[in-house]
Amino acid sequence: MTKGQVIRRYVALAVVVLAAIAALSVALARAHDPWLGWVTGIAGAAAVLGVTWNCFTANGPLFGGVITGRGARARILALTFDDGPSPTFTPPILDELRTAGVRATFFVLGRNVERHPELVRRMHAEGHEIASHGYDHALLTFASTSAARTQLARTERALASALGSDFKATLFRAPHGFRNPLVGRAMRQHGYQVVGWTKGVWDTAKPGIDVIVSRSVRGFRPGAILLLHDEDGSGGGDDREQTVAAVPKIVDRAQAAGYGFVTVSELAQRSVTRKLSPLRIGAGLLTIGVVVELALRKFDLTAIQAIDIGWWWVLGSIGLNLLSVVFKGAVWKAALDTIPHHSKTRYSHVFPALFIGFLLNTILLARLGEVARISVLRRRWQIEGENVRASTVAGTVVAEQIVLAITLVAIMFGTLAIEPDVPRLLRTSVAVFGGVVLVLIIVAVTLQALSRSDRFRRPGMARSRFDQAVGQIMGIMRGIEQGQTILRRPRTAAWAFGNGVLSWIAQLAGIYAALEAFDIHATVGRAALVFLASNLIQLFVIVPGNIGVFQTSVALPLQQVYGVNLAHGIAFGVGLQLIEAVLGVGLGFFFLSREGLSIADARGLRNIDD
């Protein structure tokens, strides 16, 4: 199966499992105890998310220890190459490494070892480390223990034939980092340590030599493992000329920065192998148990037991939230369509990037999804032969956020008029947010004006270092300015602002439906109150997904203003966040599969390159 096929199959299986968990939760809630149904549903969903993360993240420790280089303090790096050896690209890489006196680690495919044993012998003779990447680059997400053993055994036989029966590889890297618990078991039984990476350079996309070098440099840190490729693992014969040309520059930049190169085995001896021991898993479960017990003692759960969930309202809330995202996508598309010298953007490009961004915003700290969606969109355009500067695409995101922020402030002040009993803290927060939006708009306008200044445009003139630095910043700002052309086109801007308003109204209606779904008598005022609280708290990502923080921030105003039982309010907050997660996480994973990306790939897309 191809990468995309594996991810789509996994997503389909995960949907079936989640549906079964939901059905079991409902059955337990009706037959026994609503609280038991809630706990079962949340625990099951968390388990699916945890397994998914570790199946598609190369450094995930759930299935056994992984060498990641983390914990190393010395300024050392491990340079690694996957998918070889190649008679075309491996020799020049070996030449460059020999000239620089650098040893690397090559994760070889057994089938390529059989075809080119002389290259493996040269690697070994020149002091490089040879490790296993499987026999034929088969993806191991659905592999049985027997299938994983076959991959290892066939590669071992190829290496023994090339290097002698005494040679034994001890390191393994799964193709694309895809694994499952059975693969981890096979690795341990055969005496292998699994290796991840800290920086996927994405040289296979052939973004240009300088981009490969700059990405690698950004990955420099003590204990870093850089992932490059000296062959096409799919067997399609794609070239790796850019990687070959980038290697000496990467080595030069690293050595100039004071880094030395080591093999992965040497790095492992000087770093910590990530592993989730049974003791740590037990400690985590015990902590969760204590928290649940404290919650049971703290809250009056009779209110939760009396909740009669309206599932049609749940579906309605999901649909309205989806409609809200559609309108947000229309705002971004309007900004993208106004990029100078750029053809109109298709929604089939906008929504995958948008939902992948939502996914990363949910599972990672900080709003890194905004950066990733820029890279996802540019990646799609590059595949189709069009290249738009990252700063310009970033400008469209800034324009979109300006439109959504202005319309959000307008809707928030409108909700304050609808709901007179909003707590003072929320009123103050809305006022402060409005002031911040105003200041940011003034700053954006000022920077755009400066970016058009002739002082920073004229080439060849003598300038101070300060002027040069400002000039570089202004160069980026000019790119961002191109992405904000929408703000200078009244009709298109009006269309975008209209969609922004509709987006927030749809979200407000979705909250109204969620209140009805969770047996809280819905009014426009209550929905407006939750709308204010939920949007304000989501501006600040304190923990991944703001889990716990979101629920408390929603429940407290409901309790203070309307006297809603706190436990009932928190249960509603959990449900509201799950409704949003169905879209942000569920569709995020779906579009990841459509793009042929894994979670680890998506995390690597956070870096923007012009």
Side-chain angles (χ1 to χ4, degrees):
M1 287 188 290
T2 65
K3 188 177 181 181
Q5 289 171 334
V6 167
I7 298 176
R8 285 193 288 273
R9 179 177 173 184
Y10 186 92
V11 170
L13 179 62
V15 169
V16 172
V17 172
L18 287 172
I21 291 171
L24 176 62
S25 301
V26 172
L28 289 173
R30 291 178 175 175
H32 298 282
D33 187 330
W35 182 253
L36 179 61
W38 271 107
V39 171
T40 301
I42 293 172
V48 171
L49 183 60
V51 170
T52 300
W53 180 267
N54 284 271
C55 279
F56 295 103
T57 302
N59 297 342
L62 184 61
F63 307 144
V66 180
I67 298 173
T68 65
R70 300 189 186 279
R73 297 183 179 180
R75 294 176 73 82
I76 51 176
L77 305 170
L79 195 59
T80 68
F81 297 89
D82 284 8
D83 300 342
S86 159
T88 304
F89 307 111
T90 303
I93 289 175
L94 291 173
D95 291 342
E96 296 292 349
L97 295 176
R98 181 174 57 188
T99 300
V102 169
R103 290 178 300 133
T105 301
F106 289 84
F107 290 87
V108 298
L109 293 174
R111 68 183 180 194
N112 289 337
V113 173
E114 291 175 345
R115 295 168 183 167
H116 312 291
E118 73 286 353
L119 293 178
V120 180
R121 285 192 286 269
R122 179 182 170 183
M123 292 176 189
H124 188 61
E126 295 181 1
H128 301 291
E129 183 168 32
I130 299 172
S132 176
H133 198 42
Y135 181 78
D136 56 5
H137 211 263
L139 302 181
L140 303 178
T141 306
F142 296 102
S144 63
T145 303
S146 174
R149 287 174 177 170
T150 299
Q151 288 287 324
L152 295 174
R154 295 184 70 181
T155 303
E156 287 171 359
R157 287 195 294 270
L159 288 171
S161 175
L163 299 173
S165 58
D166 293 337
F167 178 83
K168 173 68 168 70
T170 58
L171 301 179
F172 175 83
R173 176 181 281 160
H176 296 299
F178 291 7
R179 296 171 293 140
N180 67 39
L182 299 178
V183 172
R185 179 183 178 189
M187 295 303 114
R188 291 190 296 273
Q189 290 177 342
H190 281 248
Y192 283 88
Q193 286 184 285
V194 175
V195 180
W197 60 84
T198 60
K199 183 61 181 176
V201 178
W202 282 79
D203 56 320
T204 55
K206 298 181 289 187
I209 299 168
D210 291 339
V211 172
I212 293 174
V213 174
S214 65
R215 289 175 179 175
S216 300
V217 170
R218 284 199 295 273
F220 288 175
R221 65 164 182 75
I225 300 176
L226 305 183
L227 170 60
L228 295 157
H229 299 78
D230 60 332
E231 177 59 292
D232 179 4
S234 69
D238 197 10
D239 75 78
R240 298 289 178 259
E241 292 179 358
Q242 292 183 5
T243 303
V244 173
V247 166
K249 296 184 179 182
I250 294 170
V251 171
D252 289 343
R253 295 286 294 274
Q255 291 177 337
Y259 284 94
F261 287 92
V262 296
T263 64
V264 171
S265 290
E266 292 169 337
L267 180 61
Q269 295 174 0
R270 303 168 68 175
S271 61
V272 179
T273 298
R274 296 184 64 193
K275 182 178 181 181
L276 281 180
S277 67
L279 181 61
R280 292 175 64 186
I281 295 174
L285 293 175
L286 178 62
T287 302
I288 294 173
V290 170
V291 171
V292 171
E293 177 62 24
L294 291 175
L296 291 173
R297 295 183 180 183
K298 176 71 175 177
F299 300 127
D300 177 15
L301 299 181
T302 56
I304 296 180
Q305 294 172 355
I307 296 176
D308 184 16
I309 298 177
W311 293 104
W312 287 111
W313 282 107
V314 170
L315 291 176
S317 181
I318 291 173
L320 287 164
N321 275 277
L322 178 59
L323 186 61
S324 175
V325 176
V326 169
F327 287 128
K328 285 184 173 68
V331 175
W332 190 27
K333 182 179 183 299
L336 292 166
D337 286 344
T338 59
I339 294 176
H341 313 297
H342 172 65
S343 57
K344 283 196 172 183
T345 304
R346 297 196 296 272
Y347 279 109
S348 60
H349 290 164
V350 171
F351 286 118
L354 198 61
F355 278 105
I356 291 172
F358 287 161
L359 172 64
L360 289 194
N361 277 337
T362 301
I363 63 180
L364 297 176
L365 285 171
R367 302 193 67 83
L368 298 173
E370 310 302 338
V371 179
R373 66 162 154 148
I374 295 169
S375 293
V376 169
L377 181 63
R378 293 186 68 234
R379 176 178 179 269
R380 172 54 56 188
W381 282 346
Q382 287 170 350
I383 290 173
E384 297 185 358
E386 185 172 7
N387 189 28
V388 179
R389 292 184 64 192
S391 57
T392 300
V393 183
T396 66
V397 174
V398 173
E400 173 215 12
Q401 295 298 324
I402 289 174
V403 170
L404 292 176
I406 292 173
T407 52
L408 176 58
V409 170
I411 295 294
M412 281 183 169
F413 278 105
T415 58
L416 290 178
I418 294 172
E419 176 50 72
D421 296 325
V422 171
R424 180 178 298 178
L425 178 61
L426 277 181
R427 285 184 175 275
T428 304
S429 298
V430 171
V432 171
F433 177 61
V436 169
V437 170
L438 179 60
V439 170
L440 290 177
I441 291 172
I442 293 173
V443 170
V445 171
T446 302
L447 289 176
Q448 283 199 32
L450 286 174
S451 71
R452 294 191 292 270
S453 172
D454 288 339
R455 179 182 181 188
F456 303 110
R457 287 176 177 268
R458 285 174 289 176
M461 62 180 290
R463 295 184 295 176
S464 67
R465 289 185 179 181
F466 173 77
D467 283 349
Q468 292 174 0
V470 174
Q472 291 178 347
I473 295 173
M474 291 305 110
I476 297 173
M477 288 305 304
R478 283 193 289 274
I480 293 177
E481 179 197 2
Q482 288 184 326
Q484 296 178 358
T485 307
I486 183 176
L487 301 178
R488 300 190 295 275
R489 295 187 181 181
R491 288 187 179 181
T492 310
W495 166 259
F497 277 103
N499 279 285
V501 171
L502 292 174
S503 173
W504 296 121
I505 291 175
Q507 184 181 5
L508 184 60
I511 291 172
Y512 183 99
L515 284 167
E516 285 288 354
F518 285 85
D519 208 16
I520 297 176
H521 177 60
T523 64
V524 175
R526 292 186 180 189
L529 185 65
V530 174
F531 176 82
L532 288 176
S534 61
N535 279 290
L536 286 172
I537 195 60
Q538 289 190 80
L539 295 173
F540 309 98
V541 182
I542 300 171
V543 297
N546 265 346
I547 296 175
V549 179
F550 178 87
Q551 287 75 20
T552 304
S553 300
V554 166
L556 285 176
L558 286 173
Q559 181 194 44
Q560 293 173 9
V561 178
Y562 292 105
V564 175
N565 178 274
L566 185 59
H568 193 165
I570 289 178
F572 161 72
V574 171
L576 180 61
Q577 193 168 43
L578 287 175
I579 287 170
E580 294 177 353
V582 167
L583 299 174
V585 176
L587 289 178
F589 276 119
F590 170 77
F591 283 117
L592 268 180
S593 70
R594 290 288 301 273
E595 293 294 308
L597 300 171
S598 66
I599 297 174
D601 297 333
R603 294 181 71 188
L605 286 172
R606 289 176 292 171
N607 297 307
I608 300 179
D609 299 298
D610 269 323

